[in-house]
Amino acid sequence: MRSGRLLLLAFIAALVAVYFSFDLGQYLSLDYFKTQQAAIESYRASHPWQTALLFFLVYVAVTGLSLPGAALMTLVGGAIFGLLWGTLIISFASTIGATLAFLAARFLLRDGVQRKFGDRLGAINAGVAKDGPFYLFTLRLVPIFPFFVINLVMGLTPLRASTFYWVSQIGMLPATLVYVNAGREIGRIDSLSGILSPGLLLSFVLLGIFPLIAKKAVDLVKARRVYARWPRPKRFDRNLVVIGAGSAGLVSAYIAAAVKAKVTLIERHRMGGDCLNTGCVPSKALIRTTRFLADVKRAGSLGVRAASAEFDFGAVMERVQRVVRTVEPHDSVERYTGLGVDVVIGEARVTSPWTVEITTEEGMRVLSTRAIVIATGGRPAIPGIPGIEEVGYVTSDTVWALRTLPRRLLVLGGGPIGCELAQCFARLGAQVTQVQRGPQLLCKEDPEIAALVMQRLRAEGIDLRTEHTPLHFERDGDAWTLVCEHAGGQVRIGFDQLLVAIGRTANVSGFGLEALGIGVRKDGTVDTNEYLETIYPNIYAAGDVAGPYQFTHTASHQAWYAAVNALFGRFRRFKVDYSVIPWCTFTDPEVARVGLNEQDAKARGIAYEVTTYGLDDLDRAIADEAAHGLVKVLTVPGKDRILGVTIVGEHAGELITEFIVAMRHGLGLNKILGTIHIYPTLSEAGKYAAGAWKRAHAPQRLLEWVGRYHAWRRG
Ligand SMILES: Cc1cc2nc3c(=O)[nH]c(=O)nc-3n(C[C@H](O)[C@H](O)[C@H](O)COP(=O)(O)OP(=O)(O)OC[C@H]3O[C@@H](n4cnc5c(N)ncnc54)[C@H](O)[C@@H]3O)c2cc1C
């Protein structure tokens, strides 16, 4: 492939060199043609086909090699062949030449450009994939954009070659006609610049933007059509109705109230949603207790001869609930009512694009509203493994009700929730087996990152079973057995309590979306565009129900876009920005990430360099007996621009913030290196990672000369 590229490059370079070194451009001038016109025409009269073929080939070569002269040749074509044949020959020659230039740019440059700038080109690629033919058509019709530039630039995009060909052929036709027609009177033309009068240019511009305007109009009509079967209220009770009072719903309602919109927030269960009641808050409270127990266990490593902790599992779980109750007021009905939100506890159902029916204990009511934000969240996914319903499993929704520690706990699933809970229960003293289909836990992370977590979980006594596929459950007296397929055989795993943590499913059904025809993606989340609009431009989705992320901070991030677009979209709409998304798995060690890791970069064909810094080298980590883990930074080759960072270690979720800020505001590793970090802190790890990058990119040649300079100074 590489040698093919070099060969093509050499071939093109040779042809271009021939063109310039023999000054072939002199033959592509108006004056030269006029001197030769009579001779050419007489040759054409005696050899019509040969003349046409020769002209065709030269035209293809000039446009294919992006040489100057295509406009002049079009005029000449008109002069020699007349309007019909001239247009026909030139239309095909110019399109074939343009497509050759397009293909050459694609073959020679596209991979490199996409690899180097792929992380930034995402939006352009998506735009071209969606509307590329329209853009190209516009550019072709407006002959003020040099065609050779369009050919080369389009070659770098994902536009299909066949689409490029036919759009170019049609799009270039009007300008070809004008030039060929003008060429018939070539004797009266003194320069190329006068051929397109301002009036003609304007007509081309209008013709060029017409398809874009037409497309926008069609989109508008389509958007209006989805509303056609729904009667539109004359007046609206609310500016916004938000369904679900989890992270996404609360923030949407908060923003609406803050900008003085009339907003109703509907919650059918508990204010705060998953994060407060069954997710982030209880899990982090449990992690705090179990981290203390782990510290007690490793007292010896801190120089303490013996330490022990006595605890009651029920009391630990009660503390978790106490923490939830302490945080609860932040998300309470009282607080939000005080902020100006009309909070209703009840079940919501969308009955039309502008109406929401609410069933409460008091009865049913219907609210009309200008816009709706769907923030109904998700729920634990339950696999269809035979026998699972008889087992009586717990999930992240129900595990918090346990008051007796299971003796043998089976955790199904190796994602963040499964890992956090498996480690907690192991540290509380349960005998934990964790079953994962794939070869590693935390499958979104790079293998060596997941390996660090797996190593720790194993060291803490968790029986990790990767590449185990559950087949069915069997009763075993009072206990249960999971039968798995592993390495071609069957493996039996006994347990007393099953915890299912295989992922979460978006809540999309049972509240009216089906009747409205609002679609669902393959992953089960509500289908929205980049503005978070569903097929109804006044119905938005945010949070776990919208995907693609399932975090509290991404739910709130999306909520801003959903609420602002819903309330002010008629003035300006904002595309949701996923460019710098961080997250953390709160196992011990924590795994925090922002941006790309190696898996992502490879999958997206983005070139990268890796710099790692091991925390075993960091003074504070050594002092804290936390000298394990690493900082792994991906950068653009040869540059300090950060593509992504993964940190494994204690407080990784806090340490990553420096890199989140850097990526968000375009600061490179040099800036991190140039910032004073307090000694001795764990945060120095970021600076040392930047230092490792700097050392690897030190200007060796220059340093050799500097060394010679110092030697000379010593005499
Ligand atoms: C164990 C666990 C640990 C987690 N840890 C973290 C973490 O550390 N960090 C992090 O960022 N994320 C974490 N998450 C994920 C986080 O909890 C979710 O991403 C977040 O809660 C999503 O918020 P949401 O508003 O989209 O949905 P939810 O919080 O699920 O809220 C949706 C709400 O809508 C209500 N609802 C649904 N249908 C209707 C209806 N028809 N009418 C009225 N109300 C309705 C539901 O009752 C619910 O209250 C964790 C999740 C779990 C399960």
Side-chain angles (χ1 to χ4, degrees):
M1 190 71 174
R2 208 181 139 81
S3 56
R5 276 199 186 117
L6 283 177
L7 222 62
L8 179 64
L9 198 62
F11 179 65
I12 293 174
L15 290 181
V16 174
V18 165
Y19 175 87
F20 284 107
S21 47
F22 289 95
D23 193 18
L24 297 182
Q26 62 175 305
Y27 305 114
L28 291 175
S29 75
L30 202 53
D31 290 343
Y32 179 79
F33 174 72
K34 282 181 181 172
T35 61
Q36 301 296 318
Q37 186 170 5
I40 295 172
E41 277 175 2
S42 94
Y43 182 78
R44 189 194 68 90
S46 55
H47 302 85
W49 288 106
Q50 290 90 328
T51 316
L53 184 66
L54 191 67
F55 182 85
F56 184 90
L57 292 177
V58 174
Y59 201 111
V60 169
V62 166
T63 46
L65 292 169
S66 305
L67 296 172
L72 184 270
M73 284 197 72
T74 311
L75 281 178
V76 169
I80 306 175
F81 302 106
L83 184 63
L84 177 66
W85 282 105
T87 305
L88 205 66
I89 294 167
I90 290 165
S91 173
F92 280 96
S94 60
T95 312
I96 291 170
T99 308
L100 287 177
F102 166 92
L103 289 173
R106 172 157 295 183
F107 183 61
L108 293 174
L109 302 171
R110 189 179 67 170
D111 286 355
V113 170
Q114 291 288 347
R115 223 179 306 121
K116 197 148 191 179
F117 304 104
D119 58 319
R120 293 178 178 183
L121 292 178
I124 295 177
N125 289 342
V128 169
K130 196 164 154 245
D131 290 330
F134 286 93
Y135 294 138
L136 176 62
F137 193 57
T138 304
L139 292 170
R140 286 302 192 204
L141 276 173
V142 183
I144 45 180
F145 302 111
F147 280 177
F148 81 94
V149 176
I150 299 171
N151 302 337
L152 300 180
V153 170
M154 281 290 166
L156 306 180
T157 71
L159 191 75
R160 285 168 57 156
S162 55
T163 310
F164 177 86
Y165 181 90
W166 68 259
V167 174
S168 296
Q169 180 127 40
I170 298 171
M172 291 193 291
L173 204 53
T176 305
L177 264 169
V178 169
Y179 272 74
V180 171
N181 191 40
R184 292 191 307 159
E185 311 247 352
I186 202 161
R188 289 204 271 142
I189 297 172
D190 296 325
S191 83
L192 296 180
S193 57
I195 294 168
L196 290 177
S197 65
L200 202 56
L201 256 180
L202 183 69
S203 321
F204 277 150
V205 170
L206 291 178
L207 207 60
I209 56 175
F210 175 74
L212 274 182
I213 294 171
K215 183 173 183 301
K216 292 285 170 213
V218 168
D219 288 350
L220 209 70
V221 171
K222 262 197 207 156
R224 295 243 171 263
R225 225 178 30 208
V226 293
Y227 290 108
R229 63 191 171 111
W230 307 103
R232 190 172 190 272
K234 286 214 164 52
R235 296 192 69 254
F236 295 91
D237 301 320
R238 298 288 181 270
N239 298 101
L240 185 66
V241 167
V242 179
I243 304 176
S247 316
L250 288 168
V251 175
S252 303
Y254 180 102
I255 291 168
V259 296
K260 304 294 177 202
K262 200 162 183 193
V263 54
T264 291
L265 173 65
I266 308 164
E267 172 55 52
R268 69 176 173 192
H269 189 39
R270 294 170 73 183
M271 293 290 287
D274 275 353
C275 183
L276 170 63
N277 300 293
T278 56
C280 335
V281 175
S283 61
K284 268 74 250 180
L286 187 62
I287 285 170
R288 177 65 189 92
T289 302
T290 57
R291 197 174 65 229
F292 172 76
L293 294 176
D295 280 345
V296 168
K297 252 193 175 160
R298 63 186 193 131
S301 69
L302 296 168
V304 176
R305 193 173 341 113
S308 65
E310 274 182 31
F311 69 93
D312 170 29
F313 177 74
V316 170
M317 296 304 264
E318 281 305 324
R319 173 190 169 263
V320 168
Q321 289 312 309
R322 232 177 26 247
V323 171
V324 172
R325 282 197 297 277
T326 310
V327 180
E328 226 164 35
H330 298 170
D331 299 350
S332 63
V333 174
E334 294 72 26
R335 173 157 183 250
Y336 275 78
T337 307
L339 289 167
V341 177
D342 167 40
V343 183
V344 180
I345 300 298
E347 178 99 28
R349 186 178 176 78
V350 187
T351 47
S352 87
W354 297 288
T355 48
V356 177
E357 179 187 281
I358 315 169
T359 310
T360 65
E361 281 183 359
E362 289 79 43
M364 206 179 69
R365 56 194 276 220
V366 176
L367 282 178
S368 60
T369 176
R370 278 252 174 220
I372 298 169
V373 171
I374 298 162
T376 49
R379 60 185 188 284
I382 306 299
I385 305 168
I388 192 163
E389 289 307 327
E390 290 87 76
V391 173
Y393 52 84
V394 289
T395 64
S396 61
D397 276 0
T398 52
V399 68
W400 312 108
L402 289 181
R403 290 297 176 268
T404 309
L405 181 69
R407 191 173 69 82
R408 294 179 306 164
L409 177 72
L410 174 64
V411 178
L412 264 195
I417 296 174
C419 290
E420 287 180 12
L421 289 175
Q423 189 171 44
C424 282
F425 276 88
R427 288 177 163 190
L428 287 163
Q431 209 177 302
V432 177
T433 307
Q434 193 175 3
V435 170
Q436 162 79 333
R437 269 176 202 265
Q440 68 170 58
L441 300 181
L442 303 178
C443 60
K444 288 194 177 132
E445 307 301 342
D446 285 339
E448 83 277 21
I449 301 292
L452 289 169
V453 175
M454 290 163 68
Q455 198 182 324
R456 176 66 73 82
L457 295 188
R458 285 201 168 106
E460 294 192 6
I462 295 174
D463 181 7
L464 274 190
R465 305 292 186 99
T466 50
E467 295 181 307
H468 277 59
T469 307
L471 295 177
H472 61 268
F473 290 96
E474 283 177 12
R475 183 174 270 290
D476 199 358
D478 275 350
W480 287 92
T481 296
L482 170 66
V483 180
C484 291
E485 190 279 326
H486 173 67
Q490 288 203 348
V491 176
R492 299 170 66 81
I493 303 168
F495 65 93
D496 304 312
Q497 177 69 62
L498 171 65
L499 169 64
V500 178
I502 58 155
R504 296 177 57 75
T505 310
N507 289 328
V508 291
S509 57
F511 59 96
L513 301 193
E514 302 89 340
L516 268 87
I518 291 177
V520 168
R521 298 190 190 102
K522 265 197 197 132
D523 67 358
T525 55
V526 169
D527 199 3
T528 62
N529 61 14
E530 57 270 65
Y531 302 100
L532 298 177
E533 292 168 358
T534 62
I535 50 163
Y536 298 90
N538 72 321
I539 302 184
Y540 295 77
D544 283 9
V545 74
Y549 301 99
Q550 292 182 324
F551 305 111
T552 291
H553 45 275
T554 46
S556 338
H557 179 68
Q558 289 178 325
W560 185 90
Y561 290 90
V564 170
N565 287 340
L567 295 169
F568 301 109
R570 61 199 321 237
F571 305 113
R572 185 173 169 196
R573 294 184 306 163
F574 295 87
K575 286 184 185 172
V576 63
D577 176 5
Y578 293 130
S579 55
V580 182
I581 299 289
W583 63 82
C584 181
T585 300
F586 294 90
T587 41
D588 182 4
E590 292 181 358
V591 179
R593 174 127 86 87
V594 57
L596 302 179
N597 65 2
E598 286 196 76
Q599 302 189 25
D600 298 338
K602 279 180 192 147
R604 288 168 52 183
I606 294 172
Y608 62 89
E609 274 179 11
V610 178
T611 304
T612 47
Y613 170 73
L615 295 182
D616 52 350
D617 181 63
L618 187 67
D619 293 1
R620 182 56 186 268
I622 295 166
D624 283 358
E625 284 297 329
H628 41 74
L630 54 84
V631 179
K632 177 175 176 183
V633 186
L634 267 65
T635 43
V636 173
K639 300 218 165 97
D640 74 336
R641 190 158 72 79
I642 305 167
L643 293 170
V645 180
T646 307
I647 304 182
V648 188
E650 274 193 15
H651 304 294
E654 315 282 341
L655 301 181
I656 197 95
T657 306
E658 177 168 34
F659 290 103
I660 302 171
V661 175
M663 285 187 72
R664 186 78 186 95
H665 299 286
L667 306 176
L669 289 179
N670 281 316
K671 289 275 188 291
I672 289 181
L673 189 61
T675 305
I676 300 174
H677 290 61
I678 294 172
Y679 178 85
T681 56
L682 294 180
S683 71
E684 284 186 298
K687 181 172 172 152
Y688 288 133
W693 175 85
K694 189 77 179 174
R695 276 194 302 285
H697 292 83
Q700 296 305 339
R701 277 257 171 83
L702 182 66
L703 286 176
E704 270 171 31
W705 281 104
V706 175
R708 279 183 202 140
Y709 164 76
H710 288 308
W712 171 73
R713 290 275 290 154
R714 288 194 300 274

